[in-house]
C-alpha cells in the first residue's frame, strides 16, 4: 500500500487490498446555464448555389452524352452528331433557365420525393421551398420570430407590474419592514 490509501493490511479482510476509484460518486456541476440561449434558434441549412448549378449542368451533359452515344451507335456522321448534341444542349439550358426564372411555377420541381439521401444541397433547397410555401399558406409574416408571442406576453406583464407599482407609490406610502 502507498500513501496511506486503503487498508493497512489486507489480511483478514477477505479482499485483495486493491483500491479502486468510486465511479458512482457524482461531482457537483457548475451552476451556469446548461445551454446557450442564443443558439436555440433553428437555422435552416442553406444549400450551396455552386453545387446546385454544377449538378444541374451535369444532368444536362448526361442527357447530351446519351444522345451522342445513341447517334454514334446508329452510325451517323460526326458533324451531324455535333449539330444535334449542341441543339439539345441549348434547348436544355434554355429550358432549365426558364424554370429558374419562373420560380415555383416551373415544371422541373421534383420535390423531396425525387431526391436521394446523398443529395444534401438539393434536399436543403427543397426543404426551404416547402417551408416557404407552408409559411405563405398559413399567413405567417417574413419577420416572424419563433417564441415572440411569449416575449410580448412577458413585456405586457412587466409593464402591468410597473404601472401597478407606480400607482402604489403615488398614493400613501406604506412603511415596509
Amino acid at each position: 500500500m502507498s500513501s496511506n490509501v486503503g487498508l493497512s493490511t489486507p489480511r483478514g479482510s477477505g479482499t485483495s487490498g486493491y483500491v479502486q476509484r468510486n465511479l458512482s460518486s457524482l461531482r457537483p456541476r457548475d451552476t451556469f446555464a446548461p445551454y446557450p440561449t442564443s443558439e436555440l434558434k433553428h437555422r435552416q441549412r442553406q444549400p450551396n448555389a455552386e453545387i446546385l448549378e454544377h449538378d444541374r449542368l451535369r444532368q444536362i451533359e448526361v442527357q447530351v452524352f446519351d444522345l451522342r452515344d445513341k447517334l454514334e451507335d446508329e452510325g451517323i456522321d460526326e458533324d451531324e452528331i455535333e449539330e444535334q448534341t449542341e441543339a439539345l444542349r441549348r434547348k436544355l439550358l434554355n429550358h432549365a433557365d426558364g424554370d429558374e426564372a419562373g420560380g415555383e411555377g416551373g415544371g422541373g420541381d421534383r420535390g423531396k420525393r425525387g431526391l436521394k439521401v446523398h443529395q444534401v444541397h438539393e434536399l436543403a433547397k427543397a426543404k426551404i421551398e416547402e417551408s416557404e410555401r407552408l409559411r405563405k399558406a398559413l399567413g405567417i409574416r417574413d419577420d416572424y420570430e419563433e417564441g415572440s408571442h411569449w416575449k410580448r406576453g412577458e413585456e405586457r406583464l412587466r409593464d402591468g407590474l410597473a404601472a401597478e407599482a407606480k400607482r402604489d407609490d403615488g398614493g400613501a406610502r406604506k412603511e415596509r419592514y
Side-chain angles (χ1 to χ4, degrees):
M1 291 280 104
S2 64
S3 304
N4 254 352
V5 175
L7 303 170
S8 58
T9 176
R11 288 182 71 187
S13 67
T15 67
S16 66
Y18 182 74
V19 178
Q20 293 184 350
R21 202 174 97 202
N22 184 358
L23 298 175
S24 65
S25 71
L26 300 174
R27 293 189 209 119
R29 298 184 120 198
D30 296 334
T31 58
F32 62 89
Y35 45 84
T37 56
S38 63
E39 295 178 12
L40 285 180
K41 278 189 186 176
H42 172 70
R43 289 187 306 249
Q44 180 70 43
R45 178 183 296 206
Q46 298 298 316
N48 187 335
E50 292 175 0
I51 292 176
L52 291 173
E53 178 66 14
H54 174 78
D55 285 343
R56 183 181 70 87
L57 293 176
R58 184 177 174 278
Q59 289 300 319
I60 290 172
E61 289 302 318
V62 166
Q63 290 178 358
V64 169
F65 184 77
D66 286 342
L67 175 66
R68 173 181 285 281
D69 191 36
K70 180 182 146 198
L71 294 176
E72 285 175 353
D73 287 346
E74 292 175 2
I76 297 179
D77 186 33
E78 187 66 30
D79 293 333
E80 181 67 25
I81 291 174
E82 283 296 322
E83 190 177 306
Q84 287 187 17
T85 55
E86 274 303 312
L88 178 65
R89 184 177 289 120
R90 272 181 288 184
K91 178 184 142 199
L92 291 174
L93 283 172
N94 289 337
H95 180 67
D97 290 340
D99 281 349
E100 287 179 1
E104 292 182 33
D109 184 26
R110 293 183 290 180
K112 285 172 59 175
R113 291 180 188 243
L115 299 173
K116 306 266 191 291
V117 176
H118 66 275
Q119 294 175 310
V120 178
H121 297 276
E122 290 87 347
L123 284 169
K125 181 180 178 191
K127 181 64 177 175
I128 289 172
E129 290 171 355
E130 177 186 5
S131 297
E132 190 65 23
R133 280 193 307 271
L134 183 64
R135 186 187 60 74
K136 286 180 180 176
L138 295 176
I140 299 172
R141 297 186 322 262
D142 288 338
D143 61 343
Y144 176 76
E145 184 178 328
E146 190 173 329
S148 61
H149 173 75
W150 299 111
K151 289 180 185 176
R152 279 186 267 138
E154 288 175 4
E155 289 172 4
R156 277 190 236 121
L157 180 63
R158 225 178 292 131
D159 293 343
L161 290 174
E164 186 178 316
K166 194 177 248 187
R167 271 186 268 133
D168 286 346
D169 288 344
R173 279 195 90 120
K174 299 176 185 175
E175 284 189 37
R176 295 184 181 152
Y177 293 100

